[in-house]
Amino acid sequence: MFHLIFGIPWLVVVARFIQPLPWVWSVKIALGLILLVASQYHLINRLSSGSVFSPEFPRPLIIAINVLMGAILLLAMFQIALDVVSIVITPFKGRFPAVPVGIRYAMGIAAFGLAAFGVSQAIRVPPLKDIEITIPGLPAAFEGYQMVQLTDLHISRLFDSEWAKEVVARTNALNADLIVITGDLIDGNIESRKQDIAPLADLKARDGVYTIPGNHEYFFGYEEWMAYYRGLNMMTLANNHAVIERNGESLVIAGVTDLSSSRTGFPPPDVAAAIKGAPEAAPIILLDHQPMEAARNAQLGVAVQLSGHTHGGMVLGLDRLVARANKGFVSGFYQVGGMQLYVNNGTALWPGFALRLGIPSELTRITLRRGS
């Protein structure tokens, strides 16, 4: 599917941008072929590694391909906009206007420049984002309690061990009470990823590190990865919960499986099971990778839901389409009934389309506050 989606912009670029350039045909054909290879990145991944989600090429090559993919998409958009303008003014000029070559060069430079910047924003170690969540009835012992949310790490050849080490170092420097990871930790099987994910074993927080599965865990061996996470000093929550205690008062951290689990024969997300037996007076913070079921979760007495999955929409404009696919939830805070939902933009994102323009990644520190 992805190679077909990216093939259409390539056709637009070749037919409407490259073909009219005043270059020799050999150069135009060479450029078209280079962009064709980039547009078929996902097909090449599937043929080489068995999965569109796990590129197993050198990191610089993955970065370069993502820049070219971004440039293809942006250039196709610029060319379509130019053609629309040309069609509008055609009746006034009496013919379809010739486009000065300088405009085409400017479009090409802008597309490649924006793509390179967008990829650089996608692959950086994210900056700290501080947020506060006020919870009615939060026990006094948890006033000022600090959590770090990591999500959508997508540990891979793009987000490799060096990147993971820096994320761990910045996270540990925050000296948080608790670290939660809301799914999509990896892209690849254990054999391919064990060196890249190894730094996560060094994550430290007073009350531990809790993680849940995202949809990508189910692409690469759900049971094997969940067991492997436990070997990295993470406590896994899959339709169950943990109770954090302070001075005789409690806070519940619950976690569910991902919505994609039902398509793979594993238990579907079950919030009722996850919170069963939890202390009645304790506020519940739910870790749910996808935000789509927030309304249902709010009806079960959850105080706060922390999610990821959307990557914030990645690009301004595209985020509106991503929101439509996630019941309107894409980035930031939402009030859903009596529950607060926070959708994290992601610590990283899928290496198959690593581009961020106007929607930054985040390393998120959450401070809990008491509310009436």
Side-chain angles (χ1 to χ4, degrees), residues 188-352:
N189 57 41
I190 291 174
E191 187 61 31
S192 299
R193 293 285 79 81
K194 61 183 179 182
Q195 297 301 321
D196 293 320
I197 200 172
L200 298 193
D202 294 327
L203 284 169
K204 297 290 188 297
R206 280 179 286 279
D207 292 322
V209 180
Y210 288 86
T211 189
I212 61 168
N215 53 313
H216 281 229
E217 272 74 20
Y218 294 89
F219 300 155
F220 298 105
Y222 164 74
E223 291 180 314
E224 292 84 358
W225 269 118
M226 294 299 280
Y228 200 83
Y229 294 158
R230 290 190 288 272
L232 296 175
N233 302 315
M234 302 178 195
M235 289 164 275
T236 57
L237 297 175
N239 295 336
N240 57 344
H241 70 269
V243 179
I244 309 297
E245 295 186 343
R246 285 280 191 282
N247 301 328
E249 298 182 308
S250 302
L251 179 69
V252 174
I253 308 296
V256 292
T257 56
D258 187 72
L259 285 167
S260 62
S261 59
S262 58
R263 297 193 296 270
T264 56
F266 291 103
D270 188 339
V271 177
I275 63 177
K276 184 177 180 180
E280 290 187 9
I284 298 169
I285 296 177
L286 175 68
L287 312 180
D288 188 350
H289 177 64
Q290 300 193 42
M292 287 195 286
E293 298 303 323
R296 180 194 64 186
N297 298 342
Q299 295 174 357
L300 295 173
V302 173
V304 175
Q305 176 177 326
L306 301 178
S307 295
H309 182 64
T310 66
H311 307 158
M314 299 170 290
V315 178
L316 286 174
L318 179 61
D319 60 325
R320 294 301 91 204
L321 293 176
V322 175
R324 289 177 65 87
N326 289 275
K327 296 186 179 179
F329 307 122
V330 64
S331 176
F333 278 107
Y334 300 87
Q335 188 68 39
V336 185
M339 183 187 79
Q340 295 177 79
L341 166 66
Y342 184 72
V343 183
N344 193 303
N345 286 351
T347 317
L349 42 65
W350 174 43

Side-chain angles (χ1 to χ4, degrees), residues 57-64 123-124 156-160 163:
F57 306 113
R59 189 172 191 259
L61 180 59
I62 297 174
I63 292 172
I123 66 176
R124 66 177 178 169
S156 58
R157 292 294 293 274
L158 182 58
F159 299 101
D160 59 4
W163 182 89

